[in-house]
Amino acid sequence: MTAPRIRRLPPPLRPLIDKFYRGHRSPMRSQAGDELWVAERGSEIIAALGLRPLADGQWLTGLFVAPNERGQGLATRLVQGGLAVHPEPVWLFCHPDLGPLYRRMGFADCPGLPQTLAERLARYQRSKSLIALRAH
């Protein structure tokens, strides 16, 4: 089996990410303007990461690894790729159970968020349990 290739996906290829999500019955979707990273084996996308630019940094909006590819470090490699080109703060929201995974990737608890993210987190927390983490 060949090692997966990690790369930033050119914007015109964004529909491939949504096809990948749909193929795994994930509710995730990318948005125009997101910076997308993928792990590929041959021509097949096996994991995807989305970053959305904010005035003060980046917001990690999505990370998904195909179920049969999990446990191989792909999520970490994708996050490292994205963080390597973004020295500014990178924030994410996740379920508390995923906190240890993201902390191993270099994220830490985030007591303060930019206003736009703080408002969004407050809205999301009305219906689900989420924490905010930050890298850099």
Side-chain angles (χ1 to χ4, degrees):
M1 185 182 314
T2 61
R5 174 176 71 144
I6 306 295
R7 71 175 176 127
R8 185 174 173 185
L9 195 67
L13 299 180
R14 182 172 71 89
L16 296 176
I17 294 285
D18 292 329
K19 181 179 178 185
F20 166 69
Y21 292 148
R22 282 190 310 273
H24 291 284
R25 300 192 191 308
S26 169
M28 297 173 65
R29 296 293 176 263
S30 65
Q31 276 191 0
D34 286 355
E35 180 178 303
L36 302 170
W37 290 76
V38 294
E40 298 169 304
R41 186 167 284 116
S43 62
E44 180 185 4
I45 294 174
I46 57 174
L49 166 77
L51 295 169
R52 186 163 303 149
L54 301 172
D56 302 325
Q58 300 285 322
W59 179 30
L60 194 158
T61 59
L63 177 61
F64 185 84
V65 177
N68 62 329
E69 299 287 347
R70 293 178 183 164
Q72 300 177 46
L74 290 174
T76 299
R77 289 183 57 203
L78 276 172
V79 169
Q80 287 172 343
L83 293 179
V85 299
H86 290 289
E88 70 272 23
V90 177
W91 295 275
L92 64 82
F93 306 154
C94 67
H95 188 277
D97 291 348
L98 293 173
L101 170 71
Y102 285 108
R103 287 181 187 97
R104 284 192 303 273
M105 293 181 198
F107 286 83
D109 292 338
C110 179
L113 290 167
Q115 174 111 16
T116 55
L117 285 181
E119 291 169 358
R120 190 177 295 254
L121 179 62
R123 265 194 330 272
Y124 292 172
Q125 286 177 325
R126 290 180 199 146
S127 61
K128 47 182 113 169
S129 179
L130 292 172
I131 59 171
L133 299 175
R134 175 186 162 166
H136 304 305

Coordinates of all heavy atoms in Angstrom, one line a residue, residues 12-45:
P12 N -10.4 25.2 -7.6 CA -11.3 24.7 -8.6 C -11.7 23.2 -8.4 O -12.7 22.8 -8.9 CB -10.6 24.8 -9.9 CG -9.6 25.9 -9.7 CD -9.2 25.8 -8.3
L13 N -10.9 22.5 -7.5 CA -11.2 21.1 -7.2 C -12.1 20.9 -6.0 O -12.3 19.8 -5.5 CB -9.9 20.3 -7.1 CG -9.0 20.3 -8.4 CD1 -7.8 19.5 -8.2 CD2 -9.8 19.8 -9.6
R14 N -12.6 22.0 -5.4 CA -13.4 22.0 -4.2 C -14.5 21.0 -4.3 O -14.8 20.3 -3.3 CB -13.9 23.4 -3.8 CG -14.7 23.4 -2.6 CD -15.0 24.8 -2.2 NE -16.0 25.5 -3.0 CZ -17.3 25.4 -2.8 NH1 -17.8 24.8 -1.8 NH2 -18.1 26.1 -3.6
P15 N -15.2 20.8 -5.4 CA -16.3 19.8 -5.5 C -15.9 18.4 -5.1 O -16.7 17.6 -4.7 CB -16.8 19.9 -6.9 CG -16.5 21.3 -7.3 CD -15.2 21.6 -6.7
L16 N -14.6 18.1 -5.3 CA -14.1 16.8 -4.9 C -14.3 16.5 -3.4 O -14.5 15.4 -3.0 CB -12.7 16.6 -5.4 CG -12.4 16.6 -6.9 CD1 -11.0 16.5 -7.2 CD2 -13.2 15.5 -7.6
I17 N -14.1 17.5 -2.6 CA -14.2 17.4 -1.2 C -15.6 17.1 -0.8 O -15.9 16.2 0.0 CB -13.8 18.7 -0.5 CG1 -12.3 19.0 -0.7 CG2 -14.1 18.7 1.0 CD1 -11.3 18.1 0.1
D18 N -16.6 17.8 -1.4 CA -18.0 17.5 -1.1 C -18.4 16.2 -1.6 O -19.2 15.5 -0.9 CB -18.9 18.6 -1.7 CG -18.6 20.0 -1.0 OD1 -18.3 20.0 0.2 OD2 -18.8 21.0 -1.6
K19 N -17.9 15.7 -2.7 CA -18.2 14.4 -3.2 C -17.6 13.3 -2.2 O -18.3 12.3 -1.9 CB -17.5 14.2 -4.6 CG -17.8 12.8 -5.1 CD -17.2 12.7 -6.5 CE -17.4 11.3 -7.1 NZ -16.7 11.1 -8.3
F20 N -16.4 13.6 -1.6 CA -15.8 12.7 -0.6 C -16.7 12.7 0.6 O -17.0 11.6 1.1 CB -14.4 13.2 -0.3 CG -13.8 12.7 1.0 CD1 -13.4 11.3 1.0 CD2 -13.6 13.5 2.1 CE1 -12.8 10.8 2.2 CE2 -13.0 12.9 3.2 CZ -12.7 11.6 3.3
Y21 N -17.2 13.8 1.1 CA -18.0 13.8 2.3 C -19.3 13.1 2.0 O -19.7 12.2 2.8 CB -18.4 15.3 2.6 CG -17.3 16.1 3.2 CD1 -17.3 17.5 2.9 CD2 -16.3 15.6 3.9 CE1 -16.3 18.3 3.4 CE2 -15.2 16.4 4.4 CZ -15.3 17.7 4.2 OH -14.3 18.5 4.7
R22 N -20.0 13.3 0.9 CA -21.2 12.6 0.5 C -21.0 11.1 0.4 O -21.8 10.3 0.9 CB -21.8 13.1 -0.8 CG -22.5 14.5 -0.7 CD -23.3 14.8 -1.9 NE -22.5 14.7 -3.2 CZ -21.7 15.6 -3.7 NH1 -21.6 16.8 -3.1 NH2 -21.1 15.4 -4.8
G23 N -19.9 10.7 -0.1 CA -19.6 9.3 -0.3 C -19.4 8.6 1.0 O -19.6 7.3 1.1
H24 N -19.2 9.3 2.1 CA -19.1 8.7 3.4 C -20.3 9.1 4.3 O -20.2 9.0 5.5 CB -17.8 9.1 4.1 CG -16.6 8.5 3.4 ND1 -16.3 7.2 3.6 CD2 -15.7 9.0 2.5 CE1 -15.2 6.9 2.9 NE2 -14.9 7.9 2.2
R25 N -21.3 9.6 3.7 CA -22.5 10.0 4.4 C -22.3 11.0 5.5 O -22.9 11.0 6.5 CB -23.3 8.8 4.9 CG -23.7 7.9 3.8 CD -24.7 6.9 4.4 NE -25.0 5.7 3.6 CZ -25.5 5.7 2.3 NH1 -25.5 6.7 1.6 NH2 -25.8 4.5 1.7
S26 N -21.3 11.9 5.3 CA -21.0 12.9 6.3 C -21.8 14.2 6.0 O -22.0 14.5 4.8 CB -19.5 13.3 6.2 OG -19.2 14.5 6.9
P27 N -22.3 14.8 7.0 CA -23.1 16.1 6.8 C -22.2 17.3 6.5 O -22.6 18.3 6.1 CB -23.8 16.3 8.1 CG -22.9 15.6 9.1 CD -22.3 14.5 8.4
M28 N -20.9 17.1 6.5 CA -19.9 18.2 6.3 C -20.0 18.6 4.8 O -20.3 17.9 3.9 CB -18.5 17.7 6.6 CG -18.3 17.4 8.1 SD -16.7 16.7 8.5 CE -15.7 18.0 8.1
R29 N -19.7 19.9 4.6 CA -19.6 20.5 3.3 C -18.6 21.6 3.4 O -18.4 22.3 4.4 CB -21.0 21.1 2.9 CG -22.1 20.1 2.7 CD -21.9 19.2 1.5 NE -22.9 18.2 1.4 CZ -22.8 16.9 1.9 NH1 -21.7 16.6 2.6 NH2 -23.8 16.1 1.8
S30 N -17.9 21.9 2.3 CA -17.0 23.0 2.2 C -17.7 24.2 1.8 O -18.9 24.2 1.3 CB -15.9 22.6 1.2 OG -16.4 22.5 -0.1
Q31 N -17.0 25.3 1.9 CA -17.6 26.6 1.4 C -16.6 27.3 0.5 O -15.3 27.1 0.7 CB -17.8 27.6 2.6 CG -19.2 27.4 3.3 CD -19.5 28.5 4.2 OE1 -18.7 29.4 4.4 NE2 -20.6 28.4 4.9
A32 N -17.1 28.0 -0.4 CA -16.2 28.8 -1.3 C -15.3 29.7 -0.4 O -15.8 30.2 0.6 CB -17.0 29.7 -2.3
G33 N -14.1 29.7 -0.7 CA -13.1 30.5 0.1 C -12.4 29.7 1.2 O -11.4 30.2 1.7
D34 N -12.9 28.5 1.5 CA -12.2 27.7 2.4 C -10.8 27.2 1.8 O -10.8 27.0 0.6 CB -13.0 26.4 2.8 CG -14.1 26.7 3.7 OD1 -14.3 27.8 4.2 OD2 -14.9 25.7 3.9
E35 N -9.8 27.1 2.6 CA -8.6 26.5 2.2 C -8.7 25.0 2.5 O -9.0 24.6 3.7 CB -7.4 27.1 3.0 CG -6.1 26.5 2.6 CD -5.0 27.2 3.4 OE1 -4.8 28.4 3.3 OE2 -4.2 26.5 4.1
L36 N -8.6 24.2 1.5 CA -8.8 22.7 1.7 C -7.5 22.0 1.5 O -6.7 22.2 0.6 CB -9.9 22.3 0.7 CG -11.2 23.0 0.7 CD1 -12.1 22.7 -0.4 CD2 -11.9 22.7 2.1
W37 N -7.4 21.0 2.4 CA -6.2 20.1 2.4 C -6.8 18.7 2.3 O -7.8 18.4 2.9 CB -5.4 20.2 3.7 CG -4.7 21.5 3.8 CD1 -5.2 22.8 4.1 CD2 -3.3 21.8 3.6 NE1 -4.2 23.7 4.1 CE2 -3.1 23.1 3.7 CE3 -2.3 20.9 3.2 CZ2 -1.8 23.7 3.6 CZ3 -1.0 21.5 3.1 CH2 -0.8 22.8 3.3
V38 N -6.1 17.8 1.6 CA -6.5 16.5 1.5 C -5.3 15.5 1.7 O -4.2 15.9 1.5 CB -7.1 16.2 0.1 CG1 -8.4 17.0 -0.1 CG2 -6.1 16.5 -1.1
A39 N -5.7 14.3 2.1 CA -4.8 13.2 2.0 C -5.3 12.3 0.9 O -6.5 12.0 0.9 CB -4.8 12.4 3.4
E40 N -4.4 11.9 0.0 CA -4.8 11.1 -1.1 C -4.0 9.8 -1.2 O -2.8 9.9 -0.9 CB -4.7 11.8 -2.4 CG -5.5 13.1 -2.5 CD -5.1 13.9 -3.7 OE1 -3.9 14.3 -3.8 OE2 -6.0 14.2 -4.5
R41 N -4.6 8.8 -1.6 CA -3.9 7.5 -1.9 C -4.2 7.3 -3.4 O -5.3 7.1 -3.8 CB -4.3 6.4 -1.1 CG -3.5 5.1 -1.3 CD -3.7 4.0 -0.3 NE -3.0 4.3 0.9 CZ -3.6 4.5 2.1 NH1 -4.9 4.4 2.2 NH2 -2.9 4.8 3.2
G42 N -3.2 7.5 -4.2 CA -3.4 7.5 -5.7 C -4.2 8.7 -6.0 O -3.9 9.8 -5.6
S43 N -5.4 8.5 -6.7 CA -6.2 9.7 -7.0 C -7.4 9.7 -6.1 O -8.3 10.5 -6.3 CB -6.7 9.5 -8.4 OG -7.4 8.4 -8.6
E44 N -7.5 8.9 -5.0 CA -8.6 8.8 -4.1 C -8.4 9.7 -2.9 O -7.3 9.5 -2.2 CB -8.9 7.4 -3.7 CG -10.0 7.3 -2.7 CD -10.2 5.8 -2.2 OE1 -9.4 5.0 -2.5 OE2 -11.2 5.6 -1.4
I45 N -9.3 10.6 -2.5 CA -9.2 11.4 -1.3 C -9.6 10.5 -0.2 O -10.7 9.8 -0.2 CB -10.2 12.6 -1.4 CG1 -9.7 13.6 -2.5 CG2 -10.2 13.3 0.0 CD1 -10.6 14.7 -2.7

